[in-house]
Amino acid sequence: MISGKEKLIVVSNRVPYNVKKVKGEIRYKKSVGGLVTALDPILCRRGGQWIGWNGYSGYSRELSGELVVGKDCDQEGYSLKLIGLSAKEIKNYYHGFANRSLWPLFHGFISQSYFNKDYFWFYRKINNRFANRILEEINGDELIWIHDYQLCMTPASLRERSKKKLKIIFFLHIPFPNFEAFRVLPWDREILKGLLGNDLVGFQTSRDAYNFLECCKNILDLDVDFKNMKIHYKGRKIEARGFPISIDFDRFNTLAKSRETVKYRKNIKDLGGDAKVVISVERLDYTKGIKERLKAVGRFFTKYPEYLKKVVFLQISVPSRTKIKEYIELKREIDELVGSINGKFSDGLWSPIQYLFKALPQQQLAALYKYSDICLVTSLRDGMNLIGKEYASCNVSQDGVLILSELTGASYELGSNSLMVNPYDTDEVADALKKALNMHRATRKKMMQGLRKTIRENNIYVWADNFLDYYSKPS
Ligand code: F6P
C-alpha cells in the first residue's frame, strides 16, 4: 500500500523507458540504474505521471501524446510525459555538468570533476525547461516529487514560476559531499538555492542530510536548526532527512522462485562446472570500483592458488554514459585487466573471469543471483547500492554471502550481516573472498536471513510511504 491522496508527479532526468519513434512506431527501451529500479514499481502501483527526458537527442511532437506504461491486471500503470533535448544540450547538461561536474564531485572524485561555464549555463537552462514542463501538467494540488542531481535547480525554478503554493519534495539518489568538498564547486550557492525550493529534501543517509545542512549554514550563511534538521528560508520551512532507498523485495524473490530460473541454471554450470560463482553487477562506472575489484581477484588467485579452477567471477557491466571520455577510458582499462588476469590464470577451458558488457533482463539476472554463491560489491563510493539488496532478495536458498564495500550507503543497514571490506584494500577483499568460500552453512544462513528480513521489512513501498507520510505529517 502506498499512502497519499494527491496526484503524484515524479520528475527525473530520464523517464524509465527511452522512447523513440521509428518508422511511425513508438519503441520503448527500459532505462538502467537504481532510480528506475526503485521508482518504477511505486508508480506502477500507485499511478500518476512521470516527467523526464526521452533518452535520445531530438524530439518528435508525436511523442507528446498520452503514453501509458506499467498497466496490467493488478497495477494502475502511469503516464509518461516527455522532454526533448538537442545533441548540444545533452553534451553540456547531461554529459557535461550533471556527469562530469556534479557526479564526480558528489562521489568524492574531486580531481575528476570538470568545471566549465557552458556546462553550467546549459544545466540551468534545462532545469528551467523541466520546471516549465511540470507547470504545463499541474494545477497546483499535486505532489511533485523531483529526483536526483541532474535536477537540483528545478525545484526553485518551479516555485519562482508559479503563483500557487506548490508541494515540492526531492530525493537525492547519490551521496551529498561534506562542506569542504562541496565548496569546490564554483556554482555551490546556485545548487543549494535550487534545492531550497523544496519542502522536503531526502537523502540516502542522515550523514548526507547533515552535509547538506552544513553547506547551507556555511555557504549561504543560513540559520540551521540541526536538532530538528530544518531551515527557515524565504518564509518557508525546509526539512532534510535520510531515507535509505530499497527495492521491491517480493518481486525479486518471486522472480527467483519462478520455474523460469531453471533454464538459466545451465548458464551457471557452463561457467565452470562445479566451481563456486562470485557475481558482480553494476553500470560501468568508475565509482563502482570495478578495476579495484579485478585487481583483488588477481590478488586472490595469487595469494590462494588452491582456488584456481574452483571459483569463477561473473562480472556483468551494464553500458552507461558511453559517450563520456572517462567512461570510454574505463571500459578500455577494464577490458585490458580482464584480458590480463584471464591470460595469467586461465587453465584449459577454465577462465577466472567471465565478463559481460550488457544489460540483462530482470528474470535472467534474478536467476544468476539465485545460483551465485557470493555477491561482491566494491563501490568506491555509492549513495546506497541496490545490488546487494537484489542479490539477497533472490537468494531463496539462503546460503549465499554478500561481501559489501563499507563506502556504500547500504553498509549502514546491511553491514552487520555481510562481510564488510574497504574496496581499496585488495588484500582485505581477497581475504574476504576466502572467508566467504569457507564460511559454515549455518553462519551463511543466519546472515542471509538477517539480510532478507531487513530488505523485506524496509522494501521500496515502505520507503515511499515513509517519505510521503513524513511530508504529509503535521509538524
Ligand atoms: O542512481 C544515479 C543515476 O544517475 C540515476 O539518476 C540514473 O537513473 C542512473 O544513475 C543511470 O544513469 P544515466 O541516466 O546517466 O544512465
Side-chain angles (χ1 to χ4, degrees), residues 12-15 18 31-37 50 53 94 99 103 107 147-150 173-174 204 283 285 288 319-321 324 327 382:
S12 69
N13 171 51
R14 263 179 215 277
V15 288
N18 288 358
S31 324
V32 294
L35 189 150
V36 168
T37 311
W50 192 323
W53 172 39
Y94 169 67
N99 287 317
W103 176 267
H107 283 88
H147 290 263
D148 232 353
Y149 62 100
Q150 301 93 341
H173 292 249
I174 67 172
Q204 296 283 19
R283 286 183 307 100
D285 195 298
K288 304 292 181 185
S320 175
R321 307 176 192 163
I324 300 179
Y327 290 73
D382 218 328

Side-chain angles (χ1 to χ4, degrees), residues 259-274:
R259 288 174 57 83
E260 282 283 287
T261 55
V262 177
K263 73 174 185 231
Y264 296 109
R265 176 133 182 82
K266 190 175 169 305
N267 293 163
I268 289 275
K269 281 273 163 208
D270 288 347
L271 292 179
D274 289 330

Side-chain angles (χ1 to χ4, degrees), residues 297-299 301-302 308 340-347 350-352:
V297 169
R299 181 77 188 120
F301 286 115
T302 305
L308 288 167
S340 84
I341 295 170
N342 278 346
K344 185 166 176 195
F345 297 104
S346 290
D347 188 345
W350 175 83
S351 293

Side-chain angles (χ1 to χ4, degrees), residues 12-34:
S12 69
N13 171 51
R14 263 179 215 277
V15 288
Y17 296 87
N18 288 358
V19 188
K20 200 178 195 176
K21 193 144 195 177
V22 185
K23 293 186 188 144
E25 222 183 84
I26 295 185
R27 301 236 174 111
Y28 297 87
K29 186 167 167 258
K30 189 104 180 171
S31 324
V32 294

Side-chain angles (χ1 to χ4, degrees), residues 162-197:
S162 170
K163 292 194 178 62
K164 304 223 167 109
K165 194 169 173 282
L166 299 180
K167 289 167 269 185
I168 313 175
I169 58 178
F170 187 96
F171 186 73
L172 184 75
H173 292 249
I174 67 172
F176 196 91
N178 65 30
F179 162 59
E180 295 296 351
F182 186 72
R183 70 194 300 198
V184 169
L185 181 69
W187 303 277
D188 53 355
R189 301 172 65 83
E190 286 81 350
I191 296 296
L192 291 177
K193 284 183 186 167
L195 288 170
L196 288 171

